[in-house]
């Protein structure tokens, strides 16, 4: 018999999954991997649900630390080794897809830590101190990595220009 | 508004979600517990083995034992149709990992067939373009992901058939092609699934799942429907009787010969001879002279195509022992040569055409591609003679 979810877990998943899944996609650039990453984080929360005061902070931490520690290694074996010579056919949303793909490609040029910092700082809107605490690194490191990540994104000609005033 | 945050947030596509994410997480928690338990048992076993083996090694230094490690999957070689090409290595078949077999969110599934062409004496099989499915893809992906792993498959067999010691094995049928699925996604590289008909497995890199439900039958069922709905009937060539049937073809002693069965190309997984609606049909009547059949009369059957389809499907009904209609030694190589022959040519909504040969004299038999002669039903004879 499947074990029932801890009280309140299903509600939490229903309320917060969409936002967390978006963050997971920005980390992985792939919907299936994003779902896998989110479920891995949620499974970690499930096991400690009764001991956790702030489940969202715990899931976010699990999401990002899982991504940083074993995400790439785990998925390497499941990627096809060769890309097809053809591209997906252009549809009605071709322009939108192209923009999206450009951002995805730009993000893929960042290191895993830079990518995590960019998502935490600019999408999750965490402070430098909170980002550093979550990732277990120094505030100075967060600033340096954020600056380098923004430089990479700004230099990409395929995505919309990023204001130079954006804080690091 | 933070411009970087907006740029990134706007880039996130609409993301598919499982029907029940909580259930998916619950299953993941269960698997993790099983693995943790397995690792604990394994560590205990290793400790016991070391306690026994180390003193022995210290006293008797024999040759070191070599253990093969699982190979990483080799490259998928993409041919002209973006399908796996010759030499493709789908990775080891003896390793497994938990989790979904393929990612969700696919927008297209293509069935790729790679000719094997390694059977001496057999005619070469031509490379055909892949069959591409674009409707019901999510459902097909869900079926792939519902396939059980080996452990669960054995449980299912045990529960259904009461076989506590079910052993899995593979047949050794020399299929002329190797089949794989190519799943395409809007936001990631394609995924290739090897469908092994001999072992009834679906493999993706390190994952192996078993055909408790036949994924190939599910694909063909959806593909036939989609092809029937998307083929423009105006482009389908109506059947036309040939003026002659040559002796070679009539006696089926050389390849290719005998009745054409274009509909059979997509018949996998259904016992129904004509799974799609018919668009046209014609009777061709031949008399054989000098070993060659010459056309003497034709008659359109377009006035009652549903009735004809039903009649022909009943003609080829099968049960657990084979065709319901008795086999007959008539019309095949080695049997008396036909002197009178009728053929029914049909074309269906997929645009495919098939022939049914009905030997009328000196004996009576219905012959279609790949099947020995069977006794014609009275209904088929009525269609021919009314």
């Amino acid at each position: 018999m499947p074990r029932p979810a801890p009280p309140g877990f299903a509600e939490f998943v229903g309320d917060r999954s969409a936002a967390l899944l978006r963050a997971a996609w920005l980390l992985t650039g792939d919907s299936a991997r994003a779902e896998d990453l989110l479920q891995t984080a949620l499974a970690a929360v499930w096991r400690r649900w009764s001991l956790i005061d702030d489940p969202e902070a715990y899931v976010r931490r699990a999401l990002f630390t899982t991504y940083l520690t074993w995400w790439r290694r785990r998925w390497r074996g499941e990627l096809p080794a060769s890309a097809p010579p053809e591209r997906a056919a252009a549809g009605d949303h071709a322009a939108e897809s192209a923009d999206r793909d450009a951002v995805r490609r730009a993000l893929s040029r960042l290191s895993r830590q830079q990518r995590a910092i960019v998502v935490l700082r600019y999408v999750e809107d965490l402070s430098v101190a909170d980002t550093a605490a979550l990732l277990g690194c120094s505030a100075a490191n967060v600033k340096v990595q954020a600056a380098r990540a923004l430089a990479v994104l700004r230099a990409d000609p395929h995505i919309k220009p990023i204001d130079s005033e954006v804080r690091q | 508004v933070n411009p970087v945050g907006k740029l990134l947030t706007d880039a996130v596509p609409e993301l598919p979600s499982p029907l029940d994410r909580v259930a998916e997480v619950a299953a993941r928690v269960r698997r993790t517990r099983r693995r943790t338990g397995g690792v604990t048992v394994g560590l205990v076993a290793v400790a016991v083995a070391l306690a026994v083996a180390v003193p022995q090694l210290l006293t008797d230094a024999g040759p070191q034992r070599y253990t093969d490690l699982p190979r990483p999957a080799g490259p998928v070689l993409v041919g002209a149709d973006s399908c796996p090409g010759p030499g493709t290595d789908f990775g080891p078949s003896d390793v497994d990992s938990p989790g979904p077999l393929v990612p969700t969110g696919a927008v297209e599934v293509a069935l790729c067939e790679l000719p094997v062409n390694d059977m001496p004496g057999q005619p070469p099989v031509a490379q055909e373009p892949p069959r591409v499915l674009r409707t019901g893809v999510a459902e097909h992906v869900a079926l792939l992901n519902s396939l059980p792993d080996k452990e669960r498959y054995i449980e299912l067999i045990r529960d259904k058939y009461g076989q506590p010691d079910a052993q899995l094995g593979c047949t050794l049928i020399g299929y002329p092609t190797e089949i794989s699925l190519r799943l395409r996604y809007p936001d990631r590289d394609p995924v290739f699934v090897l469908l092994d008909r001999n072992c009834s497995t679906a493999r993706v890199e390190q994952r192996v799942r078993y055909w408790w439900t036949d994924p190939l039958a599910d694909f063909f069922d959806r593909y036939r429907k989609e092809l029937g709905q998307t083929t423009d009937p105006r482009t389908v060539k109506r059947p036309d009787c040939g003026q002659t049937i040559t002796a070679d073809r009539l006696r089926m002693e050389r390849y290719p010969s005998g009745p054409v069965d274009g509909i059979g190309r997509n018949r996998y997984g259904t016992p129904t001879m004509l799974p799609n609606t018919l668009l046209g049909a014609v009777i061709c009547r031949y008399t054989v002279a000098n070993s060659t059949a010459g056309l003497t009369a034709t008659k359109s059957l377009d006035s009652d195509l549903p009735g004809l389809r039903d009649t022909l499907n009943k003609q080829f009904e099968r049960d657990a022992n084979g065709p319901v209609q008795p086999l007959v030694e008539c019309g095949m190589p080695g049997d008396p040569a036909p002197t009178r022959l009728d053929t029914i040519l049909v074309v269906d909504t997929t645009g495919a055409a098939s022939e049914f040969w009905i030997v009328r004299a000196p004996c009576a038999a219905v012959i279609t591609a790949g099947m020995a002669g069977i006794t014609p039903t009275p209904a088929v004879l009525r269609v021919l003679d009314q």
Side-chain angles (χ1 to χ4, degrees):
Chain A
M1 283 289 291
R3 183 179 292 221
F9 182 83
E11 289 76 6
F12 171 76
V13 171
D15 290 341
R16 299 304 306 149
S17 280
L20 291 165
L21 188 60
R22 280 197 294 274
W25 187 90
L26 287 168
L27 293 176
T28 61
D30 178 291
S31 56
R33 295 178 201 186
E35 181 67 35
D36 195 4
L37 179 59
L38 173 60
Q39 287 187 24
T40 302
L42 289 172
V45 178
W46 172 301
R47 288 187 284 271
R48 294 171 182 80
W49 183 258
S50 62
L51 308 172
I52 297 170
D53 291 325
D54 184 352
E56 180 154 359
Y58 194 98
V59 171
R60 189 186 288 116
R61 185 182 182 87
L63 197 77
F64 282 81
T65 53
T66 301
Y67 167 73
L68 286 174
T69 52
W70 53 260
W71 185 251
R72 181 169 293 180
R73 179 164 56 85
R74 177 180 172 190
W75 272 91
R76 185 180 290 159
E78 300 183 9
L79 288 170
S82 177
E86 60 189 299
R87 298 285 179 202
D92 295 334
H93 309 293
E96 183 184 325
S97 296
D99 288 345
R100 185 176 294 149
D101 196 48
V103 173
R104 188 169 71 96
R105 287 175 189 280
L107 284 172
S108 71
R109 282 191 278 277
L110 304 181
S111 72
R112 276 180 290 169
Q113 191 185 37
Q114 287 171 346
R115 198 159 167 161
I117 287 171
V118 163
V119 176
L120 284 169
R121 289 280 291 120
Y122 304 116
V123 178
E124 299 288 323
D125 222 16
L126 263 60
S127 67
V128 170
D130 288 344
T131 302
L134 191 148
L135 297 178
C137 61
S138 68
N141 190 36
V142 169
K143 285 187 174 181
V144 169
Q145 295 300 336
R148 287 177 183 165
L150 287 179
V152 171
L153 296 178
R154 283 195 183 102
D156 194 311
H158 302 294
I159 63 175
K160 291 175 187 168
I162 296 172
D163 192 334
S164 59
E165 296 302 312
V166 171
R167 69 194 191 287
Q168 292 148 13
Chain B
V1 177
N2 179 343
V4 180
K6 184 172 186 323
L7 176 74
L8 299 183
T9 306
D10 288 349
V12 180
E14 192 174 336
L15 297 170
S17 289
L19 289 176
D20 188 345
R21 183 176 280 122
V22 174
E24 297 282 345
V25 174
R28 196 172 284 244
V29 170
R30 281 197 303 279
R31 283 197 298 270
T32 307
R33 284 187 177 132
R34 273 208 300 269
R35 278 203 301 274
T36 308
V39 169
T40 306
V41 171
L43 287 175
V44 170
V46 168
V48 170
L50 284 175
V52 172
V54 168
Q56 180 69 25
L57 285 173
L58 290 174
T59 56
D60 179 18
Q64 286 190 327
R65 296 189 62 175
Y66 175 78
T67 304
D68 280 318
L69 296 173
R71 292 176 298 132
V76 170
L77 305 178
V78 178
D81 291 311
S82 296
C83 276
T88 295
D89 181 359
F90 282 91
S93 61
D94 54 350
V95 296
D96 195 13
S97 303
L101 183 66
V102 294
T104 55
V107 293
E108 175 190 294
V109 182
L111 181 82
C112 300
E113 282 199 87
L114 177 65
V116 177
N117 286 334
D118 63 352
M119 282 170 268
Q122 293 294 313
V125 179
Q127 175 84 60
E128 293 204 38
R131 300 167 176 86
V132 180
L133 179 71
R134 296 188 177 89
T135 54
V137 172
E139 290 82 359
H140 186 66
V141 166
L143 181 137
L144 290 172
N145 283 334
S146 74
L147 297 176
D149 62 13
K150 188 174 185 178
E151 184 185 356
R152 177 67 185 140
Y153 185 59
I154 291 174
E155 283 176 8
L156 289 167
I157 293 173
R158 186 188 60 204
D159 294 346
K160 183 170 183 180
Y161 300 106
Q163 296 178 353
D165 300 320
Q167 298 289 318
L168 303 185
C170 300
T171 57
L172 289 170
I173 299 170
Y175 290 106
T177 59
E178 193 165 71
I179 288 183
S180 59
L181 299 177
R182 182 195 66 206
L183 279 65
R184 295 183 70 176
Y185 296 82
D187 58 358
R188 61 160 295 156
D189 292 332
V191 171
F192 296 94
V193 183
L194 176 68
L195 296 178
D196 186 335
R197 286 166 284 181
N198 273 315
C199 296
S200 296
T201 55
R203 278 167 45 198
V204 179
E205 301 273 341
Q206 305 284 321
R207 290 196 165 101
V208 183
R209 299 292 179 268
Y210 286 76
W211 295 12
W212 185 247
T213 308
D214 184 345
L216 209 47
D218 183 74
F219 177 92
F220 272 103
D221 187 44
R222 297 179 189 283
Y223 182 71
R224 282 191 300 266
K225 286 175 186 155
E226 180 178 306
L227 197 58
Q229 287 164 358
T230 56
T231 302
D232 184 348
R234 293 169 298 184
T235 64
V236 175
K237 185 173 179 293
R238 296 303 190 268
D240 188 22
C241 299
Q243 288 300 311
T244 58
I245 300 175
T246 61
D248 272 357
R249 190 162 171 245
L250 187 64
R251 297 304 291 141
M252 293 183 273
E253 285 168 348
R254 271 198 291 180
Y255 181 88
S257 61
V260 170
D261 186 21
I263 294 172
R265 180 173 182 264
N266 293 320
R267 197 181 287 124
Y268 182 95
T270 175
T272 307
M273 184 59 70
L274 299 171
N276 282 69
T277 302
L278 298 183
L279 283 182
V282 63
I283 299 174
C284 316
R285 179 149 289 172
Y286 294 91
T287 299
V288 180
N290 300 323
S291 302
T292 298
L295 184 69
T296 58
T298 66
K299 180 185 175 185
S300 170
L301 294 172
D302 288 356
S303 58
D304 185 18
L305 292 171
L308 174 69
R309 181 182 169 209
D310 186 51
T311 298
L312 288 172
N313 281 338
K314 283 195 168 72
Q315 169 70 64
F316 293 100
E317 274 182 346
R318 303 174 72 89
D319 60 19
N321 299 316
V324 172
Q325 295 303 317
L327 292 167
V328 59
E329 292 184 357
C330 174
M332 301 299 286
D335 296 334
T339 54
R340 283 201 299 125
L341 177 77
D342 291 341
T343 67
I344 299 176
L345 313 186
V346 300
V347 62
D348 72 7
T349 49
T350 68
S354 286
E355 298 177 352
F356 303 95
W357 288 8
I358 303 100
V359 179
R360 307 301 303 271
C363 49
V366 178
I367 299 166
T368 189
M371 186 187 284
I374 56 176
T375 306
T377 61
V380 165
L381 296 176
R382 273 199 300 278
V383 167
L384 295 172
D385 295 334
Q386 66 188 2

